[in-house]
Amino acid sequence: MFITNTLSLSCITCMQQGEEGGNKDHESHGKIRLNGFVPEKLYGGTGGDLWDDGMYHGVREITVTYGQCIDSIRVVYDIDDKLVNAHRHGGDGGDDTDQITLDYPNEFLVSVSGHYSEAPNGDAVVIWSLKFESNRRTFGPFGHEQGELFTFTVEDGDQIVGMKGRSGWYIDAIGFHISHAPKRKLFRKVKEGLKKAYDILVKITNPLQIFQCTCL
């Protein structure tokens, strides 16, 4: 079951441009690209309340609590090498808790898969299992692999940089934000290079600093 959010006017325009340009849609493991546009999806049920952590530079940690199904999830993100703790989503149940720590920025999240089915009480469809894959390792599965399988995998050079979904007593549905990793890494290297060049220029143009360096 896919839950597709209402598209904005700009998104509809992108889709129309893709059709006019003759570009074909293609789907790969749950991810759709259309002329560079990635439609937003949620995997799972329609119960609970909507939540959205937003987009960051990358994922640092993921904490999953589960019993029969996935009870809650909390993600720690990265912005400019600073930790950002998102809210915990889901209920207070669950017998087991596991924490995933990525070796960011060298390791980043590229795929999430899992299962969804009716909740143990039968009231709604919820996420029963989750498995996370980085560019280096696989974590999980956590929970019970029961129900319908879903898999979300980014294309080469992309990474998952944010999560969203629905939750109440459990994690009812889950979705993802993505970004292109190499461009961000290149920008960071250029930024660091410019800063070093600026520091050298300051030392050269500041007589006091030159004098201090000579004394040392």
Side-chain angles (χ1 to χ4, degrees):
M1 178 187 299
F2 292 138
I3 307 167
T4 306
N5 294 342
T6 303
L7 298 179
S8 64
L9 180 60
S10 60
C11 296
I12 295 174
T13 302
C14 290
M15 295 177 68
Q16 291 174 342
Q17 290 175 348
E19 292 174 356
E20 292 173 359
N23 294 333
K24 296 181 179 180
D25 307 1
H26 66 276
E27 182 169 357
S28 174
H29 301 290
K31 177 184 173 185
I32 297 178
R33 276 192 178 275
L34 178 59
N35 200 25
F37 166 67
V38 183
E40 295 184 355
K41 285 185 177 181
L42 296 181
Y43 300 89
T46 58
D49 298 321
L50 281 169
W51 55 268
D52 191 337
D53 286 347
M55 297 181 66
Y56 301 84
H57 290 170
V59 174
R60 300 285 293 265
E61 296 178 0
I62 304 171
T63 301
V64 182
T65 300
Y66 55 95
Q68 288 183 290
C69 53
I70 304 300
D71 289 87
S72 66
I73 187 170
R74 182 175 184 176
V75 185
V76 178
Y77 299 99
D78 179 276
I79 289 185
D80 292 331
D81 298 324
K82 296 180 180 179
L83 299 181
V84 179
N85 292 285
H87 293 291
R88 183 177 66 85
H89 306 289
D92 297 325
D95 300 322
D96 299 295
T97 297
D98 284 295
Q99 184 179 78
I100 298 167
T101 302
L102 301 180
D103 183 23
Y104 183 86
N106 299 313
E107 184 180 23
F108 46 88
L109 197 62
V110 298
S111 178
V112 179
S113 60
H115 293 77
Y116 55 87
S117 184
E118 289 187 354
N121 56 17
D123 288 343
V125 172
V126 299
I127 302 296
W128 276 74
S129 75
L130 286 173
K131 181 168 67 175
F132 303 90
E133 184 178 346
S134 74
N135 58 321
R136 294 182 174 181
R137 298 176 286 173
T138 298
F139 306 90
F142 308 107
H144 294 273
E145 295 181 295
Q146 173 178 316
E148 187 75 19
L149 171 68
F150 75 88
T151 303
F152 181 92
T153 302
V154 303
E155 295 181 352
D156 289 342
D158 287 352
Q159 66 171 314
I160 295 171
V161 295
M163 296 190 189
K164 56 193 173 183
R166 305 185 69 96
S167 63
W169 292 105
Y170 307 103
I171 298 299
D172 294 76
I174 193 166
F176 313 96
H177 296 293
I178 64 172
S179 181
H180 194 59
K183 288 184 179 180
R184 185 172 61 256
K185 288 183 178 179
L186 177 60
F187 175 77
R188 182 175 295 178
K189 289 181 179 180
V190 171
K191 183 179 178 181
E192 291 174 353
L194 290 174
K195 185 178 184 304
K196 289 180 180 179
Y198 174 79
D199 292 340
I200 293 173
L201 182 62
V202 169
K203 289 182 179 180
I204 293 175
T205 57
N206 190 330
L208 179 58
Q209 289 193 12
I210 294 176
F211 176 75
Q212 291 174 342
C213 291
T214 303
C215 292
L216 293 174

